[in-house]
Amino acid sequence: MALDGCGLFCKYILIIFNIIFAVVGFAFLGLGLWLRFSDNTRAIFHVEEFSSSAFVIGVTVLITLGAVMLFVVMFGDYGACNEKRCALQVFSALLAILATLVVVVGVLANIKRDEVGLRFAEFYASLYALYVSNQDPGIAVTLTFIHNTLHCCGVTGVSIIELVKQTCPEPDGFFERFKMDSCPGIIADVFIGKAPMMMGIFVGTGVLLFIALICSITLSRKIVSATTTQYIILTQTTSTQANFQPAQHEVVTSTRADQEPVFFTPLSAANIPVAYA
């Protein structure tokens, strides 16, 4: 069906958004499932003492978040690519809920930044201990990502005695070859000292989700406008050719001025077949 420039723009914005959203969702879900069912970490989930640990909670959040993101993408991608209004409406509702939750989580994380910082530091310590004992490659990838993002190295930062130095980033200066910042302290600093910046990231993410929500609502309305057809019935005042007069128009349903109307020409009395006994 034909969409105008605004409708096409919103459609392609939603397609790009859903692709990025799907990649992030697959990454979260894949990492969470790896940590949940890996041979080296599976036993942790069966120990009652660890059921409320930061590691178990973090892995559960990764799996849940990844699954929710992929569920939302399913409706958004189907609705945008196939221009299905019902799917877009479900996508808009889910996106509104998700955007609201992201903003609320950002505000709560800012309010309880001390507790959040300690929880994430505990989560890192759990990953560190698991990697030291098992050398799991999935945990190695996670530690490498954390170390490169925060530019820290292990729990000590001392390259001579650090047990995970192979996952640490390249030193920036001469002194960092011997001693880098330890990750638990950096993680706590990020959430405690830079809480407003972290809240800004959450709120910014929520704003992006609301922009996608606006595009989804706009595309849904454009699809409704494009599917409504204009019908015009043509009527004649007489049925004889001698007294022919121009047809008069009666508009039954009208929508946009640039849309081609559909004409219905009624049968005259001379063209209606008559059955003789």
Side-chain angles (χ1 to χ4, degrees):
M1 60 191 67
L3 293 172
D4 59 7
C6 181
L8 287 174
F9 177 77
C10 289
K11 175 179 178 178
Y12 293 128
I13 286 293
L14 284 179
I15 291 174
I16 295 172
F17 169 81
N18 282 304
I19 291 173
I20 298 174
F21 215 55
V23 171
V24 176
F26 273 119
F28 285 166
L29 183 61
L31 178 60
L33 291 176
W34 180 290
L35 295 175
R36 174 63 180 83
F37 296 106
S38 173
D39 293 335
N40 297 321
T41 58
R42 186 186 307 166
I44 296 176
F45 294 87
H46 300 289
V47 179
E48 187 176 352
E49 288 77 7
F50 292 151
S51 60
S52 61
S53 69
F55 177 78
V56 173
I57 295 173
V59 171
T60 305
V61 169
L62 281 176
I63 295 175
T64 305
L65 184 59
V68 169
M69 292 175 71
L70 292 178
F71 182 73
V72 174
V73 165
M74 179 179 65
F75 286 99
D77 198 39
Y78 176 74
C81 291
N82 297 285
E83 299 178 10
K84 299 296 185 181
R85 184 168 178 261
C86 182
L88 286 174
Q89 288 175 337
V90 176
F91 173 70
S92 299
L94 294 175
L95 206 59
I97 296 172
L98 194 60
T100 304
L101 287 177
V102 168
V103 174
V104 170
V105 168
V107 174
L108 290 178
N110 183 45
I111 295 173
K112 299 184 176 182
R113 51 184 176 269
D114 295 337
E115 183 180 349
V116 172
L118 292 176
R119 285 289 183 180
F120 271 91
E122 182 185 346
F123 176 68
Y124 173 81
S126 302
L127 289 176
Y128 181 91
L130 286 171
Y131 178 73
V132 170
S133 60
N134 298 317
Q135 300 291 315
D136 188 277
I139 300 178
V141 172
T142 308
L143 288 177
T144 302
F145 174 77
I146 295 174
H147 292 162
N148 283 280
T149 302
L150 301 177
H151 196 74
C152 58
C153 183
V155 296
T156 63
V158 181
S159 59
I160 299 176
I161 62 174
E162 184 53 59
L163 300 176
V164 297
K165 60 182 178 181
Q166 63 272 20
T167 64
C168 295
E170 292 293 327
D172 284 342
F174 176 76
F175 291 104
E176 283 194 352
R177 296 182 182 274
F178 305 99
K179 176 71 170 68
M180 295 183 69
D181 292 326
S182 62
C183 288
I186 293 295
I187 292 172
D189 258 353
V190 166
F191 283 93
I192 296 173
K194 299 181 180 179
M197 184 188 71
M198 298 300 297
M199 185 182 69
I201 294 175
F202 277 99
V203 173
T205 304
V207 170
L208 292 177
L209 293 176
F210 276 116
I211 291 174
L213 173 62
I214 293 172
C215 284
S216 176
I217 295 173
T218 303
L219 179 59
S220 179
R221 291 182 176 178
K222 293 294 181 181
I223 291 173
V224 173
S225 177
T227 52
T228 307
T229 311
Q230 181 179 9
Y231 297 98
I232 299 177
I233 297 177
L234 303 181
T235 59
Q236 285 185 326
T237 57
T238 62
S239 60
T240 60
Q241 295 182 355
N243 297 323
F244 174 80
Q245 293 181 358
Q248 298 176 348
H249 298 77
E250 180 186 353
V251 180
V252 176
T253 303
S254 62
T255 52
R256 299 186 306 171
D258 60 342
Q259 192 174 23
E260 287 294 329
V262 177
F263 295 94
F264 289 91
T265 305
L267 292 173
S268 63
N271 295 327
I272 299 177
V274 178
Y276 295 95

